[in-house]
Amino acid sequence: AAWRARGVDIVHLHRADRRGWKAGALDAGRAVARGTLHAVFDADFVPPPDFLRATIGGFADPRVGMVQARWAHLNGDASLLTRLQAMLLDGHFAVEQRGRAGAGACFNFNGTAGVWRAEAIAAAGGWHADTLTEDLDLSYRAALAGWRFVYAAEVRAPAELPADIAAFKAQQFRWAKGSIECARKLAAPAARAPWRWRHRLEALFHLGHNLPYLLTLIVLVAGGAAIALGAGPSWAPALHAASAVATALVLAAFVLTSDGARLGTLARLPALIALTAGLAVSQSRAIVLGAVGTVTPFERTPKDGATGRARARRRYRAASTGVVAAELTLAVYLTACAGLAMARGATTAALLCVWLSAGIGAVALATVRAERA
């Protein structure tokens, strides 16, 4: 009302139902918006005042359909969990998004902190609600329709990271399931697209980038048994060690390439790997549900209104993913495998099991605590 009194054409739209989830809300806004460019922000984003001036220059090329800015964090130092999330997101924007954009491959709109050309949205068929990641879905449909995107890495819009593990798992579940739904829908068209072969290959990796969570779960179960029983050839321990070193080096490069990353950040890599193991059960469930086409509602990511370490009273909570019992079972199983390995003198393998078991157990117990708070 205050801005309207000053002559600004501003309207607050509030739908009476949630049909189509976020995609439905975006399409409802698109139906009444008169501008040729649509800026999209989630409610917890606090873009700088010059955001539009800094981004709309990308639309000077009439073939550009979307400009994506980079996320920053309002509460990145609030806890170990938010620090780990910041590491993952900073790496995503500094390495993955920048790399895809620089190589001319398709990179996706991140659901917020970006600007779309209205014509591109219409040409791609509008926002669709048949996946939980309407942003990834529209990005590929628009790219397949011939539109190109611009990544504005220097423009940052701060937002709030999920403050507890239950909220984080709800967010990651939605992102993982939605990406697999998009893969079912768009992998074949992307593979047939008139793009360079390496861009088509990158698209397939991109759409299936959450599949390693399922592989991680398989490795945790099978690897735990192999460690406990001492199965495998004599050179297996050397192979395991080499694999662990290679993984650590890749993660270290991923983290250090992120803008502003320091060597001290590497001290959090063990916790990051443990967190990844802890997400394996929930994310595997998301992948399976997405692969078989099971429809689940769009669960919003709970936010506290946190800026820095301060936390506000939460208005809604994450729906339970129902996997805590399975997570605790896996943690106990790996602990037992560690005990058997220790009994036969395989100390290094036993410590690996304990490390991953601790991560899985910590995620499960933190989920219980968050859901009961």
Side-chain angles (χ1 to χ4, degrees):
W3 282 106
R4 281 199 299 269
R6 294 171 62 177
V8 177
D9 182 13
I10 181 170
V11 178
H12 177 214
L13 302 177
H14 191 149
R15 296 195 303 160
D17 61 71
R18 297 188 69 203
R19 281 181 296 180
W21 316 112
K22 183 177 178 179
L26 289 165
D27 242 4
R30 186 171 73 96
V32 298
R34 293 193 296 274
T36 58
L37 300 176
H38 295 176
V40 180
F41 297 98
D42 284 353
D44 58 308
F45 275 72
V46 186
D50 65 344
F51 183 90
L52 293 179
R53 292 184 184 276
T55 54
I56 61 174
F59 292 98
D61 182 346
R63 298 173 299 166
V64 170
M66 184 270 293
V67 175
Q68 175 66 57
R70 180 171 172 173
W71 297 6
H73 320 295
L74 293 171
N75 60 335
D77 291 325
S79 66
L80 176 60
L81 176 62
T82 60
R83 290 188 181 96
L84 296 179
Q85 291 179 65
M87 289 170 64
L88 291 170
L89 285 171
D90 289 346
H92 166 68
F93 282 100
V95 179
E96 296 176 6
Q97 293 293 69
R98 180 176 285 167
R100 292 187 184 110
C106 179
F107 71 93
N108 63 292
F109 173 54
N110 289 103
T112 175
V115 185
W116 275 92
R117 192 188 296 272
E119 182 186 355
I121 299 176
W127 298 95
H128 290 182
D130 55 349
T131 77
L132 291 181
T133 46
E134 74 298 321
D135 45 6
L136 181 63
D137 175 38
L138 178 61
S139 299
Y140 269 89
R141 286 188 286 111
L144 290 168
W147 294 93
R148 56 180 296 264
F149 309 140
V150 171
Y151 176 48
E154 72 285 355
V155 184
R156 304 193 182 202
E160 180 187 343
L161 296 166
D164 64 52
I165 194 67
F168 178 58
K169 284 169 70 176
Q171 178 196 68
Q172 297 300 305
F173 178 91
R174 188 179 73 242
W175 290 357
K177 182 172 183 287
S179 71
I180 299 302
E181 291 170 336
C182 285
R184 293 178 68 240
K185 177 179 179 179
L186 298 165
R192 297 191 301 265
W195 302 337
R196 295 180 179 180
W197 70 267
R198 60 178 180 270
H199 293 167
R200 296 197 301 271
L201 182 61
E202 162 59 23
L204 297 179
F205 277 115
H206 187 191
L207 291 169
H209 72 278
N210 277 293
L211 289 174
Y213 275 112
L214 183 58
L215 298 178
T216 298
L217 180 60
I218 293 172
V219 169
L220 286 171
V221 175
I227 287 173
L229 301 175
S234 59
W235 45 263
L239 178 63
H240 297 162
S243 176
V245 170
T247 300
L249 290 175
V250 169
L251 281 174
F254 181 78
V255 169
L256 291 178
T257 305
S258 305
D259 297 343
R262 300 179 178 86
L263 285 175
T265 308
L266 296 180
R268 292 196 285 271
L269 278 183
L272 185 65
I273 295 172
L275 175 64
T276 302
L279 293 175
V281 177
S282 177
Q283 295 296 83
S284 294
R285 176 173 176 265
I287 290 164
V288 172
L289 292 178
V292 301
T294 301
V295 177
T296 55
F298 185 107
E299 296 288 350
R300 294 177 298 167
T301 303
K303 301 291 179 71
D304 293 327
T307 55
R309 293 180 179 273
R311 294 185 65 177
R313 183 177 180 183
R314 178 169 297 174
R315 296 173 182 264
Y316 58 97
R317 301 188 180 280
S320 174
T321 54
V323 296
V324 169
E327 290 168 345
L328 290 173
T329 299
L330 180 58
V332 171
Y333 165 76
L334 288 175
T335 302
C337 291
L340 292 174
M342 186 69 74
R344 62 181 182 79
T347 305
T348 302
L351 291 176
L352 174 62
C353 278
V354 170
W355 172 26
L356 298 176
S357 174
I360 297 166
V363 166
L365 294 176
T367 302
V368 173
R369 184 166 61 250
E371 290 176 349
R372 291 180 177 178

